[in-house]
Amino acid sequence: MSRPQATLEWTNWSRTERTSPERFERPPDVESLVRVVTGAGASPVRVVGAGHSFTGAAATDGVLVSLDAIADVQHVEPRPDGTAHVTVGAGIRLGALNRALAARGLAMRNLGDIDRQSIAGAISTGTHGTGARLGGLATQVVGLRLVTAAGEVVDVDADRHGDLFQAARLGLGAVGLIAAVTLEVVPAFSLEAVEEPWPLDRVLDALDGPDGLVESNDHVEFYWFPHTRRTLTKRNNRVDPRDPGVAPPLGRVRGWVDDELLSNTVFEATNRLTAAARGLTPVVNQVAARALSARRFTAPSYEVFVTPRRVRFREMEYAIPRAALVDVLAEIDRWIERTREHVPFPVEVRFAAPDDVWLSTAYARESAYVAVHQYLRLPYRRYFSAVERIMAEVDGRPHWGKLHWLEAERLAALYPRFTDFLAVRSAQDPEGRFANPYTDRVFGPRG
Ligand SMILES: Cc1cc2nc3c(=O)[nH]c(=O)nc-3n(C[C@H](O)[C@H](O)[C@H](O)COP(=O)(O)OP(=O)(O)OC[C@H]3O[C@@H](n4cnc5c(N)ncnc54)[C@H](O)[C@@H]3O)c2cc1C
């Protein structure tokens, strides 16, 4: 497996991180993964999934491990209530996982908006979708097979090594390497998607209350176009596709025009235009927001959740208490108008239920997620720093895989179980063999 290699370069999807690992390993099974850990000597070991984190979560100049070859469906255990526990190799990409589940009449309860990530990478940073009654991907995990810093293989769940399970199911690879993930999945379902342009004020007025957008839809999100009062709203609800009242599937041509041509090809062109002539951004956003048209269609859940994202960008996302959302958006709007910052990318807003995963951004609190993006060719630091200051006022918690500048001391104040996490990490990895500069920053060098 390990052989001499030429100088290696690794970079992440968003090109915010670049490293030269001393070695790259691609173990084919868990025994080989153990040998990578025990044979690493003093070098740190990090696993990389799809490299889709904007932060340096996966980066190392030590041993960089890919589990792309440990990506199989290992076990399916049907449950009396129709759910199933499905064990998969940690490197499986969400797209392959979705297809494997669909082939067995099963599906993930909720997903984010792309399917390129590995399952282990996605849970390790708290990847989430939207839905006020649902949690992120880590809440769907019921068991893990870990390789520890001592080179042992341990199976953990809520009953066996419960604290290690809590820490490792969202732990940035800092408490153990995940070799396999057991997920609780549900019977396959269809979603009817209703996508409509709405004025921002109408969205904000309609959000709350028992009949409000957030409570009355299984999954709701909206994109607000800075420099305008316009949004695109997306409401996805479970339906029986045989019901004559539900919308038909999207035609192939319309799907291509919306998801490829408008969302990617034209969007890339408008971003290049505004990068070259920044003053045009408000006008371009007005035109883009007006050009959006409504659509309604029904499809298997994983096809509705996921859209292709080919325009490269940088992103910061914060989870905030749901009640703070309207004020936070108003503050961001005021800052953009005051500073005349040019922001061609929409601001994305999603929702999640409180959960019990120690380092989950939605831990014990009803959350709204506010994500700001900037096109790859445009500077992002001033905009994101301003948003970070606004989020600090409402005790916002940054997505672990997206850009932010918080450090361990501040994060400790935001997470009630932070100290418990650090205790598990110290016990599991006292020498910091699974550490990197990012974990040093967010957890502190000695955990
Ligand atoms: C275009 C785009 C769209 C996105 N959409 C969403 C979204 O809708 N919702 C959302 O919440 N996030 C979203 N993200 C963020 C993304 O889901 C996370 O950053 C996720 O962690 C990326 O998964 P990955 O497989 O690329 O992991 P990587 O970025 O490669 O790794 C992430 C972390 O997991 C660790 N890790 C990976 N595998 C293992 C393992 N086997 N054992 C231990 N640790 C491991 C790594 O060391 C690292 O710390 C998006 C990112 C992009 C670029």
Side-chain angles (χ1 to χ4, degrees):
M1 272 232 7
S2 32
R3 56 186 184 277
Q5 294 172 4
T7 309
L8 290 168
E9 274 262 304
W10 174 83
T11 182
N12 61 346
W13 181 89
S14 58
R15 299 176 194 159
T16 42
E17 292 291 329
R18 198 174 294 277
T19 52
S20 302
E22 68 179 47
R23 224 166 59 237
F24 184 72
E25 297 281 359
R26 196 173 185 273
D29 50 37
V30 66
E31 294 76 25
S32 314
L33 178 59
V34 170
R35 281 197 293 280
V36 169
V37 172
T38 54
S43 301
V45 180
R46 298 291 296 172
V47 180
V48 61
H52 271 50
S53 292
F54 299 84
T55 57
T60 184
D61 53 12
V63 181
L64 190 62
V65 183
S66 161
L67 298 188
D68 280 358
I70 307 183
D72 51 337
V73 177
Q74 299 174 355
H75 186 66
V76 179
E77 185 192 323
R79 320 268 301 166
D81 62 357
T83 64
H85 287 183
V86 176
T87 303
V88 290
I92 195 170
R93 301 298 166 99
L94 296 182
L97 171 64
N98 291 336
R99 288 188 293 276
L101 292 174
R104 293 164 172 83
L106 298 165
M108 297 278 285
R109 235 181 259 278
N110 200 6
L111 286 163
D113 51 22
I114 62 161
D115 64 2
R116 296 301 165 105
Q117 309 96 318
S118 66
I119 185 65
I123 63 173
S124 295
T125 59
T127 295
H128 63 89
T130 189
R133 290 180 292 278
L134 295 161
L137 270 61
T139 66
Q140 301 169 54
V141 175
V142 294
L144 296 169
R145 172 160 287 185
L146 296 175
V147 174
T148 68
E152 281 158 7
V153 179
V154 200
D155 289 321
V156 301
D157 55 36
D159 302 321
R160 289 176 296 171
H161 310 285
D163 281 1
L164 181 52
F165 171 65
Q166 272 294 358
R169 68 174 159 156
L170 199 173
L172 289 169
V175 293
L177 307 187
I178 304 169
V181 181
T182 302
L183 297 158
E184 184 178 89
V185 299
V186 297
F189 59 100
S190 290
L191 288 171
E192 184 183 55
V194 178
E195 300 178 359
E196 289 171 344
W198 280 27
L200 177 62
D201 298 313
R202 179 178 168 203
V203 177
L204 299 181
D205 285 348
L207 281 180
D208 293 322
D211 299 326
L213 281 176
V214 180
E215 292 307 328
S216 65
N217 290 286
D218 293 332
H219 312 271
V220 68
E221 67 185 304
F222 66 93
Y223 295 85
W224 161 54
F225 290 79
H227 312 291
T228 80
R229 305 293 294 170
R230 295 173 188 278
T231 73
L232 175 67
T233 59
K234 293 190 174 192
R235 287 169 284 155
N236 300 328
N237 287 291
R238 281 173 176 244
V239 288
D240 180 344
R242 291 162 305 186
D243 183 336
V246 308
L250 207 56
R252 275 182 54 205
V253 173
R254 176 74 202 268
W256 179 82
V257 168
D258 289 343
D259 294 335
E260 281 300 337
L261 186 65
L262 296 180
S263 302
N264 286 297
T265 313
V266 173
F267 194 46
E268 173 75 38
T270 59
N271 272 286
R272 279 175 186 256
L273 176 67
T274 51
R278 295 213 205 154
L280 291 180
T281 311
V283 176
V284 169
N285 282 13
Q286 285 286 357
V287 173
R290 274 176 204 275
L292 294 168
S293 59
R295 65 177 187 170
R296 196 166 156 235
F297 63 94
T298 302
S301 57
Y302 62 98
E303 289 180 17
V304 173
F305 288 130
V306 167
T307 47
R309 296 283 170 96
R310 296 192 218 293
V311 181
R312 273 179 215 252
F313 55 86
R314 274 69 187 266
E315 180 173 349
M316 163 184 276
E317 184 177 49
Y318 264 85
I320 57 174
R322 228 180 84 189
L325 174 63
V326 175
D327 288 344
V328 161
L329 290 179
E331 279 294 318
I332 296 175
D333 190 21
R334 272 196 288 275
W335 183 85
I336 293 173
E337 292 315 310
R338 194 173 63 242
T339 59
R340 299 183 181 277
E341 183 81 1
H342 293 126
V343 183
F345 256 81
V347 173
E348 185 178 12
V349 178
R350 294 182 277 186
F351 302 90
D355 67 48
D356 64 352
V357 183
W358 288 357
L359 292 191
S360 166
T361 44
Y363 181 82
R365 129 175 144 183
E366 282 192 350
S367 300
Y369 286 95
V370 177
V372 294
H373 311 73
Q374 189 56 289
Y375 181 51
L376 184 80
R377 291 161 194 263
L378 285 175
Y380 62 85
R381 283 174 193 274
R382 190 171 84 129
Y383 175 33
F384 287 10
S385 309
V387 170
E388 186 154 87
R389 286 194 296 277
I390 293 167
M391 300 302 184
E393 296 291 315
V394 296
D395 285 341
R397 295 171 179 158
H399 189 302
W400 296 100
K402 301 188 183 178
L403 295 168
H404 72 94
W405 289 280
L406 299 199
E407 297 184 355
E409 193 181 346
R410 173 69 182 143
L411 290 161
L414 293 170
Y415 285 93
R417 305 302 298 267
F418 200 77
T419 316
D420 298 311
F421 177 87
L422 294 188
V424 172
R425 183 187 180 215
S426 293
Q428 288 299 317
D429 186 17
E431 289 160 18
R433 302 197 56 219
F434 295 153
N436 71 358
Y438 182 68
T439 60
D440 285 352
R441 168 158 75 89
V442 296
F443 299 143
R446 280 277 146 202

Coordinates of all heavy atoms in Angstrom, one line a residue, residues 13 46-54 57-58 67 90 112-114 117-118 120-122 124-128 172-173 176-178 309 313 317 350 399 401-402, ligand 1:
W13 N -12.5 21.6 -2.6 CA -13.4 22.0 -3.7 C -13.4 23.5 -3.9 O -13.5 24.0 -5.0 CB -14.8 21.5 -3.4 CG -15.9 21.8 -4.4 CD1 -16.2 21.1 -5.5 CD2 -16.8 23.0 -4.4 NE1 -17.2 21.7 -6.2 CE2 -17.6 22.9 -5.6 CE3 -16.9 24.1 -3.6 CZ2 -18.6 23.8 -5.9 CZ3 -17.9 25.1 -4.0 CH2 -18.7 24.9 -5.1
R46 N -5.2 12.2 8.9 CA -6.5 12.7 8.7 C -7.2 12.0 7.6 O -6.6 11.6 6.6 CB -6.4 14.2 8.3 CG -5.8 15.1 9.3 CD -6.7 15.3 10.5 NE -7.9 16.0 10.2 CZ -8.9 16.1 11.2 NH1 -8.7 15.7 12.4 NH2 -10.0 16.7 10.9
V47 N -8.5 11.8 7.7 CA -9.3 11.2 6.5 C -9.9 12.4 5.8 O -10.4 13.3 6.4 CB -10.4 10.3 7.0 CG1 -11.2 9.7 5.8 CG2 -9.8 9.1 7.8
V48 N -9.9 12.3 4.5 CA -10.6 13.3 3.6 C -11.7 12.5 2.9 O -11.6 11.4 2.5 CB -9.7 14.0 2.6 CG1 -9.0 13.0 1.6 CG2 -10.4 15.1 1.9
G49 N -12.9 13.2 2.9 CA -14.0 12.6 2.2 C -14.0 13.1 0.7 O -13.1 12.7 0.0
A50 N -14.9 14.0 0.4 CA -14.9 14.6 -0.9 C -14.2 15.9 -1.0 O -14.2 16.6 -2.0 CB -16.4 14.7 -1.4
G51 N -13.6 16.4 0.1 CA -12.9 17.7 0.1 C -13.9 18.8 -0.1 O -13.5 19.9 -0.6
H52 N -15.2 18.7 0.3 CA -16.1 19.7 0.1 C -16.3 20.7 1.3 O -17.2 21.5 1.3 CB -17.5 19.1 -0.3 CG -17.7 18.9 -1.7 ND1 -16.7 18.2 -2.5 CD2 -18.6 19.3 -2.6 CE1 -17.1 18.2 -3.8 NE2 -18.3 18.8 -3.9
S53 N -15.4 20.5 2.3 CA -15.5 21.5 3.4 C -14.7 22.8 2.9 O -13.7 22.7 2.3 CB -14.9 21.0 4.6 OG -15.7 19.9 5.2
F54 N -15.3 23.9 3.3 CA -14.6 25.2 2.9 C -13.5 25.5 3.9 O -12.6 26.2 3.6 CB -15.6 26.3 2.9 CG -16.8 26.1 2.0 CD1 -17.9 25.3 2.3 CD2 -16.7 26.7 0.7 CE1 -18.9 25.2 1.4 CE2 -17.7 26.6 -0.2 CZ -18.8 25.8 0.1
A57 N -10.8 21.6 7.5 CA -11.2 20.4 8.4 C -10.4 19.2 8.1 O -10.0 18.4 9.0 CB -12.7 20.2 8.3
A58 N -10.2 18.9 6.8 CA -9.6 17.6 6.4 C -8.1 17.8 6.2 O -7.4 16.8 6.1 CB -10.2 17.1 5.1
L67 N -11.1 7.1 2.1 CA -11.8 5.8 2.2 C -12.7 5.6 1.0 O -13.7 4.9 1.2 CB -12.6 5.8 3.5 CG -11.7 6.0 4.8 CD1 -12.6 5.8 6.1 CD2 -10.6 5.0 4.8
A90 N -17.6 4.0 5.3 CA -17.6 5.4 5.6 C -17.3 6.3 4.4 O -17.7 7.5 4.4 CB -16.6 5.7 6.7
G112 N -29.0 17.4 2.6 CA -28.6 18.8 2.2 C -28.9 18.9 0.7 O -29.6 18.2 0.1
D113 N -28.3 20.0 0.2 CA -28.6 20.3 -1.2 C -27.7 19.8 -2.3 O -27.9 20.1 -3.5 CB -29.0 21.8 -1.4 CG -27.9 22.7 -0.8 OD1 -26.8 22.2 -0.7 OD2 -28.2 23.8 -0.5
I114 N -26.6 19.0 -1.9 CA -25.8 18.3 -2.9 C -25.6 16.9 -2.4 O -25.8 16.6 -1.2 CB -24.5 19.0 -3.2 CG1 -23.6 19.0 -2.0 CG2 -24.6 20.4 -3.8 CD1 -22.1 19.2 -2.3
Q117 N -20.8 14.7 -1.2 CA -20.0 14.4 0.0 C -20.0 12.9 0.3 O -20.9 12.1 0.0 CB -20.6 15.1 1.2 CG -20.9 16.6 1.1 CD -22.3 16.9 0.7 OE1 -22.9 16.2 -0.1 NE2 -22.9 17.9 1.3
S118 N -18.9 12.5 1.1 CA -18.9 11.2 1.7 C -19.8 11.2 2.9 O -20.0 12.3 3.6 CB -17.5 10.8 2.1 OG -17.1 11.6 3.2
A120 N -19.2 9.9 5.9 CA -18.5 10.2 7.1 C -18.1 11.7 7.1 O -18.2 12.3 8.2 CB -17.2 9.4 7.2
G121 N -17.7 12.3 6.0 CA -17.4 13.7 6.0 C -18.6 14.5 6.3 O -18.5 15.5 7.0
A122 N -19.7 14.1 5.7 CA -20.9 14.9 5.9 C -21.3 15.0 7.4 O -21.6 16.0 8.0 CB -22.1 14.4 5.1
S124 N -19.5 14.3 10.0 CA -18.4 14.8 10.9 C -18.4 16.4 11.0 O -17.8 16.9 11.9 CB -17.0 14.4 10.3 OG -16.9 13.0 10.4
T125 N -19.0 17.1 10.0 CA -19.1 18.5 10.1 C -20.5 19.1 10.4 O -20.7 20.3 10.4 CB -18.6 19.2 8.8 OG1 -19.5 18.7 7.7 CG2 -17.2 18.9 8.4
G126 N -21.4 18.2 10.6 CA -22.8 18.6 10.9 C -23.6 19.0 9.7 O -24.4 20.0 9.8
T127 N -23.4 18.4 8.6 CA -24.1 18.7 7.3 C -25.6 18.5 7.6 O -26.0 17.5 8.2 CB -23.6 17.8 6.2 OG1 -22.3 18.2 5.9 CG2 -24.4 18.0 4.9
H128 N -26.4 19.4 7.1 CA -27.9 19.4 7.3 C -28.6 19.8 6.1 O -28.0 20.4 5.1 CB -28.2 20.4 8.5 CG -27.8 21.8 8.1 ND1 -28.7 22.6 7.4 CD2 -26.6 22.5 8.1 CE1 -28.1 23.8 7.1 NE2 -26.8 23.7 7.5
L172 N -15.4 16.0 13.6 CA -14.3 16.5 12.7 C -13.1 15.5 12.6 O -12.0 15.9 12.4 CB -13.8 17.8 13.2 CG -14.8 19.0 13.0 CD1 -14.3 20.2 13.8 CD2 -14.9 19.3 11.5
G173 N -13.4 14.2 12.8 CA -12.3 13.2 12.7 C -11.3 13.3 13.8 O -10.2 12.7 13.7
G176 N -11.7 9.8 16.4 CA -11.5 8.5 15.9 C -11.7 8.5 14.4 O -12.4 9.4 13.9
L177 N -11.2 7.6 13.6 CA -11.5 7.5 12.2 C -12.7 6.6 12.0 O -12.8 5.5 12.6 CB -10.3 6.9 11.4 CG -8.9 7.6 11.7 CD1 -7.9 7.1 10.8 CD2 -9.1 9.1 11.5
I178 N -13.6 7.1 11.2 CA -14.9 6.3 11.0 C -14.7 5.4 9.9 O -14.3 5.8 8.8 CB -16.1 7.3 10.8 CG1 -16.2 8.3 11.9 CG2 -17.4 6.5 10.5 CD1 -17.2 9.4 11.6
R309 N -24.4 21.7 -8.3 CA -23.7 23.0 -8.0 C -22.4 23.1 -8.8 O -21.4 22.5 -8.3 CB -23.5 23.2 -6.5 CG -24.7 23.2 -5.7 CD -25.4 24.6 -5.8 NE -26.7 24.6 -5.2 CZ -26.9 25.0 -3.9 NH1 -25.9 25.4 -3.2 NH2 -28.1 25.0 -3.4
F313 N -17.9 28.6 -5.3 CA -18.1 29.8 -4.4 C -17.4 29.5 -3.1 O -17.0 28.4 -2.8 CB -19.6 30.0 -4.3 CG -20.4 28.8 -3.8 CD1 -20.5 28.5 -2.4 CD2 -21.0 27.9 -4.7 CE1 -21.2 27.4 -2.0 CE2 -21.7 26.8 -4.2 CZ -21.8 26.6 -2.9
E317 N -21.8 29.8 7.0 CA -23.2 29.5 7.4 C -23.3 29.4 8.9 O -22.4 28.8 9.6 CB -23.7 28.2 6.8 CG -25.2 28.0 7.2 CD -25.7 26.7 6.5 OE1 -25.1 25.6 6.7 OE2 -26.8 26.7 5.9
R350 N -32.5 28.2 5.9 CA -33.1 26.9 6.2 C -33.4 26.8 7.7 O -33.1 27.6 8.5 CB -32.1 25.8 5.8 CG -31.9 25.8 4.2 CD -31.0 24.7 3.8 NE -29.6 25.1 3.9 CZ -28.6 24.3 3.4 NH1 -28.8 23.2 2.8 NH2 -27.3 24.7 3.6
H399 N -21.2 26.7 11.0 CA -21.1 25.3 10.4 C -19.6 24.9 10.5 O -18.8 25.7 10.1 CB -21.6 25.4 9.0 CG -21.7 24.1 8.3 ND1 -20.7 23.2 8.1 CD2 -22.8 23.6 7.6 CE1 -21.1 22.2 7.4 NE2 -22.4 22.3 7.1
G401 N -17.9 23.0 8.7 CA -17.3 22.8 7.4 C -17.3 24.0 6.6 O -16.8 23.9 5.4
K402 N -17.8 25.1 7.1 CA -17.8 26.3 6.3 C -17.0 27.5 6.9 O -16.8 27.4 8.1 CB -19.3 26.7 6.1 CG -20.1 25.6 5.4 CD -21.5 26.0 5.0 CE -22.2 24.7 4.3 NZ -23.6 25.0 4.0
Ligands
LIG1 C1 -21.3 22.9 -3.2 C2 -21.4 22.5 -1.7 C3 -22.7 22.3 -1.2 C4 -22.9 22.1 0.2 N1 -24.1 21.9 0.7 C5 -24.3 21.7 2.0 C6 -25.6 21.6 2.6 O1 -26.6 21.6 1.9 N2 -25.7 21.5 3.9 C7 -24.6 21.4 4.7 O2 -24.8 21.4 5.9 N3 -23.4 21.5 4.2 C8 -23.2 21.6 2.9 N4 -21.9 21.7 2.4 C9 -20.8 21.5 3.3 C10 -20.4 20.0 3.3 O3 -21.5 19.1 3.4 C11 -19.5 19.6 4.4 O4 -18.4 20.5 4.4 C12 -19.0 18.2 4.4 O5 -18.2 17.9 5.5 C13 -18.3 17.8 3.2 O6 -18.2 16.3 3.1 P1 -16.8 15.7 2.5 O7 -17.1 14.2 2.3 O8 -16.4 16.5 1.4 O9 -15.9 15.9 3.8 P2 -14.4 16.5 3.9 O10 -14.6 18.0 3.6 O11 -13.5 15.8 3.0 O12 -14.1 16.3 5.4 C14 -14.9 16.9 6.4 C15 -14.4 16.5 7.8 O13 -14.8 15.1 8.0 C16 -13.6 14.4 8.4 N5 -13.8 13.0 7.9 C17 -14.1 12.6 6.6 N6 -14.2 11.3 6.6 C18 -13.9 10.8 7.8 C19 -13.8 9.5 8.4 N7 -14.0 8.4 7.7 N8 -13.5 9.4 9.7 C20 -13.3 10.5 10.4 N9 -13.3 11.8 9.9 C21 -13.7 11.9 8.6 C22 -12.5 15.1 7.8 O14 -11.2 14.8 8.4 C23 -12.9 16.5 8.0 O15 -12.6 17.0 9.3 C24 -21.7 22.0 1.0 C25 -20.4 22.1 0.5 C26 -20.3 22.4 -0.9 C27 -18.9 22.6 -1.4

